[in-house]
Amino acid sequence: MGIRNFSALGFQNRIISFMFIVISASLLLGSSVFYDRLNGRLEVFDNHESADKDVYIYSKEVPELKIKPFFTDDREFCLLIPFTDKSWAWYVPQGASLSIDGTSYNTGDDMRHYDENDKHSFIFIQDGVTAEWYMECIYADDMPVVSISLDENDWISINSEELPSTKFEADLTLVNQDGTVGFNGLCRMGGHGNATWLKCKKKSYEIKLFNEVSLLDMGRSKGWNIIANAMDPSNLKNMIVYEAARESGYEYSVGCSYINLYVNGMYYGLYLLTEKPVAGGCITFTDDLEKDNIKMSTSEDYTPVLKNKGTNDEIRYYDMNSNPVNISGSYLLEFDRYDETLDESSDESWFMTEKATDIGSCGYQVLIKQPKIATESELMYIKNYVRNAENAIYSKNGIDPESGVNFRDCIDIYSWGMTYLFMDFFAYQDYSAGSLFFYKKRNDDLLYSGPVWDYDKCMTDDYYSEEPFPWYEKNDIYLWYERMGHFDDFHDQVVRNYCSELSPILQNIIDNELPGWRKIIAPSEKMDEIRWRMDQGYESYRGDLVQDWLIRRKDLFDSVWIRGEKSSYADNVY
C-alpha cells in the first residue's frame, strides 16, 4: 500500500529563526544573537525580522522548500533533509562567505551530497566575524513534506498560547511522496490539542485552507490536523487504529498520512497529517443544519445564550429568530468532561447528560460540533433525544420503564459495539477526557458512534504509565459503552464485530501494513529523535513493543472468541 494507505516544539517561547553565527562573549552584548540551553544542548537563535540573514539550503525544483540547520550543541549542527534525489542549492546572505571542507559556496551553488554520519568543516564569515562548526547531514526519503512559512511573531504567538485559540495566515507547500508538489497556497494555522498542548514540547497544529482540497489522496476538505504523536514515541498507534477503522464498517473514519513538517525552514519532526473528525472533514453529511440556520437569519440575529450554569440542566445555544423546517439532523456530538471554563464566548453549543460519571456527580457535557450554531429548538430536540437513549441504556433491561423507549430502537448497535471493541482491544486510555464522537442523521432514528479519534494513548500507553498496559488485561470501559456491555445482544454484536471484521483486519495490518510503515518512517524517526531528544528510548524499540503487544493481544482475543479456548487470562477477564 502507498503512503495514502497509512490512511493515511516545547520548544522555546521566543523562537525566531536559527542562525549560523556563534560569536565571542565580547561581541554578544551588541549582537542580535542569544543563547538558550534546552535539555542540555545549546541552540542558537537570531532575532532578525528577515530570513535573508540566515544560511540555508533550498530545493531547486521546489524553491519554497528550504532547510535551516538544527544545532545539536555549540560546535555541531545537522541539516535534516528530505528527498536525497532533489537538487539542493545554498543560500548565502549578501556580503557573507561560506566554505565547506575548503570549498567556497555562493547563493545558487549546488550542495553536493554528503554521506550520513560524516562530519564536515563548515566555516561562515559575516560582518568580520568567523564562526566554525561541524556539519552533518541526515536524510529521510519517501516521506511527504509539509512546509509552512509565516511571520515569526505569529509563530511565537501560536506556541505561546496557554491553549490553542488563534490562527494566523501562512503559506503552505505540500510535497508528495514522489517529490511532486501536491498543494501550494495560503492557509490559516494554529495550535491543536488540550493535554498534549499543555504537557508536550512537540506540539500539534491545525490548518485551514481557503478552499476544499484533497491532500495525499484523502477526501476534499478545508480543515486538517497536523498531529505530533508526542505521547506515542512509536508513532504507530494512531496509524494502526485509524487504518483498522477505515477498513472496518464504520460509516466515517479518519484518513491520515505520515509527513515531515518544516516551519520557516526549521525541521519540527515526524507528524501525522489527518482529516478532521468533523462535518466537512472526514464526515460528509448530505445536509448542513448550520448553513440552514445561517440562511434563516442575519448575523445580528443570533446571540449566544448560557443557562443553568453548573447544573445538570446547563445548556448553551444561539438565540435566533427562526428554525429550519426539518431539525431532525444532522448532528455531530462529542462526549466530554464538564468544563466549567466554557462560557458565552465559546463557539460551540452544548448540554449535559443526566447520569453521574466516573469523575463526578454531574453528567457528561455533550458538545454539539455540528451545528455549532444551534438554535434553542435544535438543542432541546437533540438533548431530549440523547437523554431518552441514556435513560433506556441505564435501565435494567435496556428499556426505560417510564417512557417505554428501548435503547435498541435509538442506538445503532453495530457502530457502538465497534467503538466498544476498539476501546477494549486497543486499551484506549482517554475515554473520560473527550474525543468520543457520535452523530444523528436527518430523518434517521438512530444515534451512530464514530469516528474513532485520538488513540495516541492506547495499547502500551507509554506516556502516562511506568509499566505498559498488559496485553492480557481487559480495559476499563466507561460511559454508555460500559452500560451497554452488560446486555447480551450488545455483547454478541461486539463479538461478531471482532470475529468477522477486526480480527482479519488486524492480521492484515500485522502481516502487511505494519512492517511497511515502520520501514518507511524509520529515517524520519531518526531526524525526529535528533530534533526533540525525547529521552523515551529508541523509536525502533518502542515500535517493537507496540508490535509485540498487538500480536499478543490479537492472539488472546482470537483464543477466546474465535478458537473458543479457555486460558487463565481468558477465564479472568473475558
Side-chain angles (χ1 to χ4, degrees), residues 394-448:
Y394 279 77
S395 299
K396 184 176 181 180
N397 61 354
I399 302 174
D400 184 359
E402 294 186 9
S403 67
V405 172
N406 188 325
F407 89 92
R408 300 161 186 86
D409 296 329
C410 48
I411 291 290
D412 173 56
I413 294 180
Y414 168 81
S415 61
W416 288 84
M418 188 63 81
T419 300
Y420 179 103
L421 176 60
F422 270 59
M423 289 194 293
D424 191 6
F425 181 92
F426 292 111
Y428 181 58
Q429 301 297 303
D430 213 13
Y431 39 74
S432 62
S435 300
L436 291 172
F437 293 94
F438 62 111
Y439 57 95
K440 182 187 180 298
K441 296 182 287 188
R442 180 172 289 181
N443 300 325
D444 190 326
D445 292 335
L446 298 180
L447 295 171
Y448 297 82

CSV table of all heavy atoms in Angstrom, one decimal, residues 394-448:
chain,number,residue,atom,x,y,z
A,394,TYR,N,-29.5,3.0,30.8
A,394,TYR,CA,-29.2,2.8,32.2
A,394,TYR,C,-30.3,2.1,32.9
A,394,TYR,O,-30.3,1.9,34.1
A,394,TYR,CB,-29.0,4.2,32.9
A,394,TYR,CG,-27.6,4.6,32.7
A,394,TYR,CD1,-27.1,5.2,31.5
A,394,TYR,CD2,-26.6,4.5,33.7
A,394,TYR,CE1,-25.8,5.6,31.3
A,394,TYR,CE2,-25.3,5.0,33.6
A,394,TYR,CZ,-24.9,5.5,32.4
A,394,TYR,OH,-23.6,5.9,32.2
A,395,SER,N,-31.4,1.6,32.1
A,395,SER,CA,-32.4,0.8,32.7
A,395,SER,C,-32.0,-0.6,32.8
A,395,SER,O,-31.1,-1.1,32.0
A,395,SER,CB,-33.7,1.0,31.9
A,395,SER,OG,-34.1,2.3,31.9
A,396,LYS,N,-32.7,-1.4,33.6
A,396,LYS,CA,-32.3,-2.8,33.9
A,396,LYS,C,-32.2,-3.6,32.6
A,396,LYS,O,-31.2,-4.4,32.4
A,396,LYS,CB,-33.2,-3.4,34.9
A,396,LYS,CG,-32.8,-4.8,35.3
A,396,LYS,CD,-33.7,-5.4,36.4
A,396,LYS,CE,-33.3,-6.7,36.8
A,396,LYS,NZ,-34.1,-7.3,37.9
A,397,ASN,N,-33.2,-3.6,31.8
A,397,ASN,CA,-33.2,-4.4,30.6
A,397,ASN,C,-33.0,-3.6,29.3
A,397,ASN,O,-33.3,-4.1,28.2
A,397,ASN,CB,-34.5,-5.2,30.5
A,397,ASN,CG,-35.7,-4.4,30.5
A,397,ASN,OD1,-35.6,-3.1,30.6
A,397,ASN,ND2,-36.9,-4.9,30.3
A,398,GLY,N,-32.6,-2.4,29.4
A,398,GLY,CA,-32.4,-1.5,28.2
A,398,GLY,C,-33.7,-0.9,27.8
A,398,GLY,O,-33.7,-0.3,26.7
A,399,ILE,N,-34.7,-0.9,28.6
A,399,ILE,CA,-36.0,-0.3,28.2
A,399,ILE,C,-36.4,0.7,29.4
A,399,ILE,O,-36.5,0.2,30.5
A,399,ILE,CB,-37.1,-1.3,28.0
A,399,ILE,CG1,-36.7,-2.3,26.9
A,399,ILE,CG2,-38.4,-0.6,27.7
A,399,ILE,CD1,-37.7,-3.4,26.7
A,400,ASP,N,-36.6,1.9,29.1
A,400,ASP,CA,-36.9,2.9,30.1
A,400,ASP,C,-38.3,2.6,30.6
A,400,ASP,O,-39.3,2.7,29.8
A,400,ASP,CB,-36.8,4.3,29.5
A,400,ASP,CG,-37.1,5.4,30.5
A,400,ASP,OD1,-37.4,5.1,31.7
A,400,ASP,OD2,-37.1,6.6,30.1
A,401,PRO,N,-38.5,2.3,31.8
A,401,PRO,CA,-39.9,1.9,32.3
A,401,PRO,C,-40.9,3.1,32.3
A,401,PRO,O,-42.1,2.9,32.2
A,401,PRO,CB,-39.6,1.5,33.8
A,401,PRO,CG,-38.3,2.2,34.2
A,401,PRO,CD,-37.5,2.2,32.9
A,402,GLU,N,-40.4,4.3,32.3
A,402,GLU,CA,-41.3,5.5,32.3
A,402,GLU,C,-41.7,5.8,30.8
A,402,GLU,O,-42.9,6.0,30.6
A,402,GLU,CB,-40.6,6.7,32.9
A,402,GLU,CG,-40.3,6.5,34.4
A,402,GLU,CD,-39.8,7.8,35.0
A,402,GLU,OE1,-39.8,8.8,34.3
A,402,GLU,OE2,-39.4,7.7,36.2
A,403,SER,N,-40.8,5.9,29.9
A,403,SER,CA,-41.1,6.3,28.5
A,403,SER,C,-41.4,5.1,27.6
A,403,SER,O,-42.0,5.2,26.6
A,403,SER,CB,-40.0,7.1,27.9
A,403,SER,OG,-38.8,6.3,27.8
A,404,GLY,N,-40.9,3.9,28.0
A,404,GLY,CA,-41.0,2.7,27.2
A,404,GLY,C,-40.0,2.7,26.0
A,404,GLY,O,-40.0,1.8,25.2
A,405,VAL,N,-39.0,3.6,26.0
A,405,VAL,CA,-38.0,3.7,25.0
A,405,VAL,C,-37.0,2.5,25.2
A,405,VAL,O,-36.5,2.3,26.3
A,405,VAL,CB,-37.3,5.0,25.0
A,405,VAL,CG1,-36.1,5.0,24.0
A,405,VAL,CG2,-38.2,6.2,24.7
A,406,ASN,N,-36.8,1.8,24.1
A,406,ASN,CA,-35.8,0.7,24.1
A,406,ASN,C,-34.5,1.2,23.4
A,406,ASN,O,-34.6,1.8,22.3
A,406,ASN,CB,-36.4,-0.5,23.3
A,406,ASN,CG,-35.5,-1.7,23.4
A,406,ASN,OD1,-34.3,-1.6,23.5
A,406,ASN,ND2,-36.1,-2.9,23.4
A,407,PHE,N,-33.4,1.1,24.1
A,407,PHE,CA,-32.2,1.7,23.6
A,407,PHE,C,-31.8,1.1,22.2
A,407,PHE,O,-31.2,1.7,21.4
A,407,PHE,CB,-31.0,1.5,24.6
A,407,PHE,CG,-30.2,0.2,24.4
A,407,PHE,CD1,-29.1,0.2,23.6
A,407,PHE,CD2,-30.6,-0.9,25.1
A,407,PHE,CE1,-28.4,-1.0,23.4
A,407,PHE,CE2,-29.8,-2.1,24.9
A,407,PHE,CZ,-28.7,-2.1,24.1
A,408,ARG,N,-32.3,-0.1,21.9
A,408,ARG,CA,-32.1,-0.8,20.6
A,408,ARG,C,-32.8,-0.1,19.5
A,408,ARG,O,-32.4,-0.3,18.3
A,408,ARG,CB,-32.4,-2.2,20.7
A,408,ARG,CG,-31.7,-3.0,21.8
A,408,ARG,CD,-32.4,-4.3,22.2
A,408,ARG,NE,-31.7,-5.0,23.3
A,408,ARG,CZ,-32.0,-4.7,24.6
A,408,ARG,NH1,-32.9,-3.8,24.9
A,408,ARG,NH2,-31.4,-5.3,25.5
A,409,ASP,N,-33.8,0.7,19.8
A,409,ASP,CA,-34.5,1.5,18.8
A,409,ASP,C,-33.9,2.8,18.5
A,409,ASP,O,-34.4,3.5,17.6
A,409,ASP,CB,-36.0,1.6,19.2
A,409,ASP,CG,-36.7,0.3,19.3
A,409,ASP,OD1,-36.3,-0.6,18.6
A,409,ASP,OD2,-37.6,0.2,20.2
A,410,CYS,N,-33.0,3.3,19.3
A,410,CYS,CA,-32.4,4.6,19.1
A,410,CYS,C,-30.9,4.6,19.1
A,410,CYS,O,-30.2,5.6,18.9
A,410,CYS,CB,-32.9,5.6,20.2
A,410,CYS,SG,-32.7,5.0,21.9
A,411,ILE,N,-30.3,3.4,19.2
A,411,ILE,CA,-28.8,3.2,19.1
A,411,ILE,C,-28.5,2.3,18.0
A,411,ILE,O,-29.1,1.2,17.9
A,411,ILE,CB,-28.3,2.7,20.5
A,411,ILE,CG1,-28.4,3.8,21.6
A,411,ILE,CG2,-26.8,2.2,20.3
A,411,ILE,CD1,-27.5,4.9,21.4
A,412,ASP,N,-27.5,2.6,17.1
A,412,ASP,CA,-27.0,1.7,16.1
A,412,ASP,C,-26.0,0.8,16.8
A,412,ASP,O,-24.9,1.1,17.1
A,412,ASP,CB,-26.3,2.5,15.0
A,412,ASP,CG,-25.6,1.5,14.0
A,412,ASP,OD1,-26.3,0.7,13.5
A,412,ASP,OD2,-24.4,1.7,13.8
A,413,ILE,N,-26.5,-0.4,17.2
A,413,ILE,CA,-25.7,-1.3,18.0
A,413,ILE,C,-24.4,-1.7,17.3
A,413,ILE,O,-23.4,-1.9,17.9
A,413,ILE,CB,-26.5,-2.6,18.3
A,413,ILE,CG1,-27.7,-2.2,19.2
A,413,ILE,CG2,-25.7,-3.6,19.0
A,413,ILE,CD1,-28.6,-3.4,19.6
A,414,TYR,N,-24.4,-1.8,15.9
A,414,TYR,CA,-23.2,-2.2,15.2
A,414,TYR,C,-22.0,-1.2,15.5
A,414,TYR,O,-20.9,-1.5,15.9
A,414,TYR,CB,-23.4,-2.3,13.7
A,414,TYR,CG,-22.1,-2.3,13.0
A,414,TYR,CD1,-21.4,-3.5,12.8
A,414,TYR,CD2,-21.5,-1.2,12.4
A,414,TYR,CE1,-20.2,-3.6,12.2
A,414,TYR,CE2,-20.3,-1.3,11.8
A,414,TYR,CZ,-19.6,-2.5,11.7
A,414,TYR,OH,-18.4,-2.5,11.0
A,415,SER,N,-22.3,0.1,15.3
A,415,SER,CA,-21.2,1.1,15.4
A,415,SER,C,-20.8,1.4,16.9
A,415,SER,O,-19.6,1.5,17.2
A,415,SER,CB,-21.6,2.5,14.8
A,415,SER,OG,-22.8,3.0,15.4
A,416,TRP,N,-21.8,1.3,17.8
A,416,TRP,CA,-21.5,1.5,19.2
A,416,TRP,C,-20.7,0.2,19.7
A,416,TRP,O,-19.8,0.3,20.5
A,416,TRP,CB,-22.7,1.7,20.0
A,416,TRP,CG,-23.3,3.1,19.8
A,416,TRP,CD1,-24.1,3.5,18.8
A,416,TRP,CD2,-23.0,4.3,20.6
A,416,TRP,NE1,-24.4,4.8,18.9
A,416,TRP,CE2,-23.8,5.3,20.0
A,416,TRP,CE3,-22.3,4.5,21.8
A,416,TRP,CZ2,-23.8,6.6,20.6
A,416,TRP,CZ3,-22.3,5.8,22.3
A,416,TRP,CH2,-23.0,6.8,21.7
A,417,GLY,N,-21.1,-0.9,19.2
A,417,GLY,CA,-20.3,-2.1,19.5
A,417,GLY,C,-18.9,-2.1,19.0
A,417,GLY,O,-18.0,-2.6,19.6
A,418,MET,N,-18.7,-1.5,17.8
A,418,MET,CA,-17.4,-1.4,17.2
A,418,MET,C,-16.5,-0.5,18.0
A,418,MET,O,-15.4,-0.7,18.3
A,418,MET,CB,-17.5,-0.9,15.8
A,418,MET,CG,-16.1,-1.0,15.0
A,418,MET,SD,-15.5,-2.7,14.9
A,418,MET,CE,-16.4,-3.3,13.4
A,419,THR,N,-17.1,0.7,18.5
A,419,THR,CA,-16.3,1.6,19.3
A,419,THR,C,-16.0,0.9,20.6
A,419,THR,O,-14.9,1.1,21.1
A,419,THR,CB,-17.1,2.9,19.5
A,419,THR,OG1,-17.3,3.5,18.3
A,419,THR,CG2,-16.3,3.9,20.4
A,420,TYR,N,-16.9,0.2,21.2
A,420,TYR,CA,-16.6,-0.5,22.5
A,420,TYR,C,-15.5,-1.5,22.2
A,420,TYR,O,-14.5,-1.6,23.0
A,420,TYR,CB,-17.9,-1.3,22.9
A,420,TYR,CG,-17.7,-2.2,24.1
A,420,TYR,CD1,-18.2,-1.7,25.3
A,420,TYR,CD2,-17.0,-3.4,24.1
A,420,TYR,CE1,-18.1,-2.5,26.5
A,420,TYR,CE2,-16.9,-4.2,25.2
A,420,TYR,CZ,-17.4,-3.7,26.4
A,420,TYR,OH,-17.2,-4.5,27.5
A,421,LEU,N,-15.5,-2.2,21.1
A,421,LEU,CA,-14.5,-3.1,20.8
A,421,LEU,C,-13.1,-2.4,20.6
A,421,LEU,O,-12.1,-2.9,21.1
A,421,LEU,CB,-14.8,-3.9,19.5
A,421,LEU,CG,-13.8,-4.9,18.9
A,421,LEU,CD1,-13.5,-6.0,19.9
A,421,LEU,CD2,-14.3,-5.5,17.6
A,422,PHE,N,-13.1,-1.3,19.9
A,422,PHE,CA,-11.8,-0.6,19.7
A,422,PHE,C,-11.3,-0.1,21.1
A,422,PHE,O,-10.1,-0.2,21.4
A,422,PHE,CB,-12.0,0.6,18.8
A,422,PHE,CG,-11.8,0.3,17.4
A,422,PHE,CD1,-12.6,-0.6,16.7
A,422,PHE,CD2,-10.9,1.0,16.7
A,422,PHE,CE1,-12.4,-0.9,15.4
A,422,PHE,CE2,-10.7,0.7,15.3
A,422,PHE,CZ,-11.4,-0.2,14.7
A,423,MET,N,-12.2,0.4,22.0
A,423,MET,CA,-11.7,0.9,23.3
A,423,MET,C,-11.1,-0.3,24.1
A,423,MET,O,-10.1,-0.1,24.8
A,423,MET,CB,-12.8,1.6,24.0
A,423,MET,CG,-13.2,2.9,23.4
A,423,MET,SD,-14.2,3.9,24.6
A,423,MET,CE,-15.7,3.0,24.6
A,424,ASP,N,-11.8,-1.4,24.0
A,424,ASP,CA,-11.4,-2.6,24.8
A,424,ASP,C,-10.1,-3.2,24.2
A,424,ASP,O,-9.1,-3.4,24.9
A,424,ASP,CB,-12.5,-3.6,24.8
A,424,ASP,CG,-12.2,-4.7,25.8
A,424,ASP,OD1,-11.2,-4.6,26.6
A,424,ASP,OD2,-13.0,-5.7,25.9
A,425,PHE,N,-10.1,-3.5,22.9
A,425,PHE,CA,-9.0,-4.2,22.3
A,425,PHE,C,-7.7,-3.4,22.4
A,425,PHE,O,-6.7,-3.8,22.8
A,425,PHE,CB,-9.3,-4.6,20.8
A,425,PHE,CG,-8.1,-5.3,20.2
A,425,PHE,CD1,-8.1,-6.7,20.2
A,425,PHE,CD2,-7.1,-4.6,19.6
A,425,PHE,CE1,-7.0,-7.4,19.7
A,425,PHE,CE2,-6.0,-5.3,19.1
A,425,PHE,CZ,-5.9,-6.7,19.1
A,426,PHE,N,-7.8,-2.1,22.0
A,426,PHE,CA,-6.6,-1.2,21.9
A,426,PHE,C,-6.3,-0.6,23.3
A,426,PHE,O,-5.4,0.2,23.4
A,426,PHE,CB,-6.8,-0.2,20.9
A,426,PHE,CG,-6.8,-0.7,19.4
A,426,PHE,CD1,-8.0,-0.7,18.7
A,426,PHE,CD2,-5.7,-1.3,18.9
A,426,PHE,CE1,-8.1,-1.2,17.4
A,426,PHE,CE2,-5.7,-1.8,17.6
A,426,PHE,CZ,-6.9,-1.7,16.9
A,427,ALA,N,-7.1,-0.9,24.3
A,427,ALA,CA,-6.8,-0.4,25.7
A,427,ALA,C,-6.8,1.1,25.6
A,427,ALA,O,-5.8,1.8,26.1
A,427,ALA,CB,-5.5,-1.0,26.3
A,428,TYR,N,-7.8,1.7,25.1
A,428,TYR,CA,-8.0,3.2,25.0
A,428,TYR,C,-8.0,3.8,26.4
A,428,TYR,O,-8.7,3.4,27.2
A,428,TYR,CB,-9.3,3.5,24.2
A,428,TYR,CG,-9.6,4.9,24.0
A,428,TYR,CD1,-8.7,5.7,23.3
A,428,TYR,CD2,-10.8,5.5,24.4
A,428,TYR,CE1,-9.0,7.1,23.0
A,428,TYR,CE2,-11.1,6.8,24.1
A,428,TYR,CZ,-10.2,7.6,23.4
A,428,TYR,OH,-10.5,8.9,23.2
A,429,GLN,N,-7.1,4.8,26.6
A,429,GLN,CA,-6.9,5.4,27.9
A,429,GLN,C,-7.5,6.8,28.0
A,429,GLN,O,-7.2,7.5,29.0
A,429,GLN,CB,-5.4,5.4,28.2
A,429,GLN,CG,-4.8,4.0,28.3
A,429,GLN,CD,-5.4,3.1,29.3
A,429,GLN,OE1,-5.4,3.5,30.5
A,429,GLN,NE2,-5.9,2.0,28.9
A,430,ASP,N,-8.2,7.3,27.0
A,430,ASP,CA,-8.6,8.7,27.0
A,430,ASP,C,-10.1,8.8,27.1
A,430,ASP,O,-10.7,9.8,26.7
A,430,ASP,CB,-8.1,9.4,25.7
A,430,ASP,CG,-7.7,10.9,26.0
A,430,ASP,OD1,-7.7,11.3,27.2
A,430,ASP,OD2,-7.5,11.6,25.0
A,431,TYR,N,-10.8,7.8,27.6
A,431,TYR,CA,-12.2,7.7,27.5
A,431,TYR,C,-13.0,8.8,28.3
A,431,TYR,O,-14.1,9.1,28.0
A,431,TYR,CB,-12.7,6.4,27.9
A,431,TYR,CG,-12.0,5.8,29.0
A,431,TYR,CD1,-12.3,6.2,30.3
A,431,TYR,CD2,-11.1,4.8,28.9
A,431,TYR,CE1,-11.6,5.7,31.4
A,431,TYR,CE2,-10.4,4.2,29.9
A,431,TYR,CZ,-10.6,4.7,31.2
A,431,TYR,OH,-10.0,4.2,32.3
A,432,SER,N,-12.4,9.3,29.3
A,432,SER,CA,-13.1,10.3,30.2
A,432,SER,C,-12.7,11.7,29.9
A,432,SER,O,-13.0,12.6,30.6
A,432,SER,CB,-12.8,10.0,31.6
A,432,SER,OG,-11.4,10.2,31.9
A,433,ALA,N,-12.0,12.0,28.8
A,433,ALA,CA,-11.5,13.3,28.5
A,433,ALA,C,-11.9,13.8,27.1
A,433,ALA,O,-11.2,14.6,26.5
A,433,ALA,CB,-10.0,13.4,28.7
A,434,GLY,N,-12.9,13.3,26.6
A,434,GLY,CA,-13.4,13.7,25.3
A,434,GLY,C,-13.0,12.8,24.1
A,434,GLY,O,-12.5,11.7,24.3
A,435,SER,N,-13.1,13.3,22.9
A,435,SER,CA,-12.8,12.6,21.7
A,435,SER,C,-13.6,11.4,21.4
A,435,SER,O,-13.2,10.6,20.6
A,435,SER,CB,-11.3,12.2,21.7
A,435,SER,OG,-10.4,13.3,21.9
A,436,LEU,N,-14.8,11.3,22.1
A,436,LEU,CA,-15.7,10.2,21.8
A,436,LEU,C,-16.9,10.8,21.0
A,436,LEU,O,-17.7,11.5,21.6
A,436,LEU,CB,-16.2,9.5,23.0
A,436,LEU,CG,-15.1,8.7,23.8
A,436,LEU,CD1,-15.6,8.2,25.1
A,436,LEU,CD2,-14.7,7.5,22.9
A,437,PHE,N,-17.0,10.6,19.7
A,437,PHE,CA,-17.9,11.2,18.8
A,437,PHE,C,-19.1,10.3,18.5
A,437,PHE,O,-18.9,9.1,18.4
A,437,PHE,CB,-17.3,11.6,17.5
A,437,PHE,CG,-16.2,12.7,17.7
A,437,PHE,CD1,-14.9,12.4,17.9
A,437,PHE,CD2,-16.6,14.1,17.7
A,437,PHE,CE1,-13.9,13.4,18.0
A,437,PHE,CE2,-15.6,15.1,17.9
A,437,PHE,CZ,-14.3,14.7,18.0
A,438,PHE,N,-20.3,10.9,18.4
A,438,PHE,CA,-21.4,10.2,17.8
A,438,PHE,C,-22.3,11.2,17.1
A,438,PHE,O,-22.1,12.4,17.2
A,438,PHE,CB,-22.2,9.5,19.0
A,438,PHE,CG,-22.8,10.3,20.1
A,438,PHE,CD1,-24.1,10.5,20.2
A,438,PHE,CD2,-22.0,11.0,21.0
A,438,PHE,CE1,-24.7,11.3,21.2
A,438,PHE,CE2,-22.5,11.7,22.0
A,438,PHE,CZ,-23.9,11.9,22.1
A,439,TYR,N,-23.2,10.7,16.3
A,439,TYR,CA,-24.0,11.5,15.4
A,439,TYR,C,-25.4,11.0,15.2
A,439,TYR,O,-25.7,9.8,15.3
A,439,TYR,CB,-23.3,11.8,14.1
A,439,TYR,CG,-22.9,10.5,13.3
A,439,TYR,CD1,-23.8,10.1,12.3
A,439,TYR,CD2,-21.7,9.8,13.6
A,439,TYR,CE1,-23.4,8.9,11.6
A,439,TYR,CE2,-21.4,8.7,12.9
A,439,TYR,CZ,-22.3,8.2,11.9
A,439,TYR,OH,-22.0,7.1,11.2
A,440,LYS,N,-26.3,11.9,14.8
A,440,LYS,CA,-27.6,11.5,14.3
A,440,LYS,C,-27.9,12.2,13.0
A,440,LYS,O,-27.7,13.4,12.8
A,440,LYS,CB,-28.7,12.0,15.3
A,440,LYS,CG,-30.1,11.6,14.9
A,440,LYS,CD,-31.2,12.2,15.8
A,440,LYS,CE,-32.5,11.8,15.3
A,440,LYS,NZ,-32.9,12.3,13.9
A,441,LYS,N,-28.3,11.4,12.0
A,441,LYS,CA,-28.5,11.9,10.7
A,441,LYS,C,-30.0,12.3,10.5
A,441,LYS,O,-30.9,11.9,11.3
A,441,LYS,CB,-28.2,10.8,9.6
A,441,LYS,CG,-26.7,10.4,9.6
A,441,LYS,CD,-26.4,9.4,8.6
A,441,LYS,CE,-26.9,8.0,9.0
A,441,LYS,NZ,-26.5,7.0,8.0
A,442,ARG,N,-30.2,13.2,9.6
A,442,ARG,CA,-31.6,13.7,9.3
A,442,ARG,C,-32.5,12.6,8.9
A,442,ARG,O,-32.1,11.7,8.1
A,442,ARG,CB,-31.5,14.8,8.3
A,442,ARG,CG,-32.9,15.4,7.9
A,442,ARG,CD,-32.7,16.6,7.0
A,442,ARG,NE,-32.1,17.7,7.7
A,442,ARG,CZ,-31.9,18.9,7.1
A,442,ARG,NH1,-32.2,19.1,5.8
A,442,ARG,NH2,-31.4,19.9,7.8
A,443,ASN,N,-33.7,12.6,9.5
A,443,ASN,CA,-34.7,11.6,9.1
A,443,ASN,C,-34.3,10.2,9.4
A,443,ASN,O,-34.7,9.2,8.8
A,443,ASN,CB,-35.1,11.7,7.7
A,443,ASN,CG,-35.7,13.1,7.3
A,443,ASN,OD1,-36.4,13.7,8.1
A,443,ASN,ND2,-35.4,13.5,6.1
A,444,ASP,N,-33.4,10.0,10.4
A,444,ASP,CA,-32.9,8.7,10.9
A,444,ASP,C,-33.1,8.6,12.4
A,444,ASP,O,-32.7,9.5,13.1
A,444,ASP,CB,-31.4,8.5,10.5
A,444,ASP,CG,-30.9,7.1,10.7
A,444,ASP,OD1,-31.4,6.5,11.6
A,444,ASP,OD2,-30.1,6.7,9.9
A,445,ASP,N,-33.7,7.6,12.9
A,445,ASP,CA,-34.0,7.5,14.3
A,445,ASP,C,-32.8,7.0,15.2
A,445,ASP,O,-32.9,7.0,16.4
A,445,ASP,CB,-35.2,6.5,14.5
A,445,ASP,CG,-36.5,7.0,13.9
A,445,ASP,OD1,-36.6,8.2,13.8
A,445,ASP,OD2,-37.3,6.1,13.6
A,446,LEU,N,-31.7,6.6,14.5
A,446,LEU,CA,-30.6,6.1,15.3
A,446,LEU,C,-29.5,7.1,15.6
A,446,LEU,O,-29.2,8.0,14.8
A,446,LEU,CB,-30.0,4.9,14.6
A,446,LEU,CG,-30.9,3.7,14.3
A,446,LEU,CD1,-30.2,2.6,13.6
A,446,LEU,CD2,-31.5,3.1,15.6
A,447,LEU,N,-28.8,6.8,16.8
A,447,LEU,CA,-27.6,7.5,17.1
A,447,LEU,C,-26.5,6.6,16.7
A,447,LEU,O,-26.4,5.4,17.1
A,447,LEU,CB,-27.5,7.9,18.6
A,447,LEU,CG,-28.5,8.9,19.1
A,447,LEU,CD1,-28.5,8.9,20.6
A,447,LEU,CD2,-28.3,10.3,18.5
A,448,TYR,N,-25.5,7.1,16.0
A,448,TYR,CA,-24.3,6.3,15.5
A,448,TYR,C,-23.1,6.7,16.2
A,448,TYR,O,-22.9,7.9,16.5
A,448,TYR,CB,-24.1,6.5,14.0
A,448,TYR,CG,-25.3,6.0,13.1
A,448,TYR,CD1,-26.4,6.8,12.9
A,448,TYR,CD2,-25.3,4.7,12.6
A,448,TYR,CE1,-27.5,6.3,12.2
A,448,TYR,CE2,-26.3,4.3,11.8
A,448,TYR,CZ,-27.4,5.1,11.6
A,448,TYR,OH,-28.5,4.6,10.8
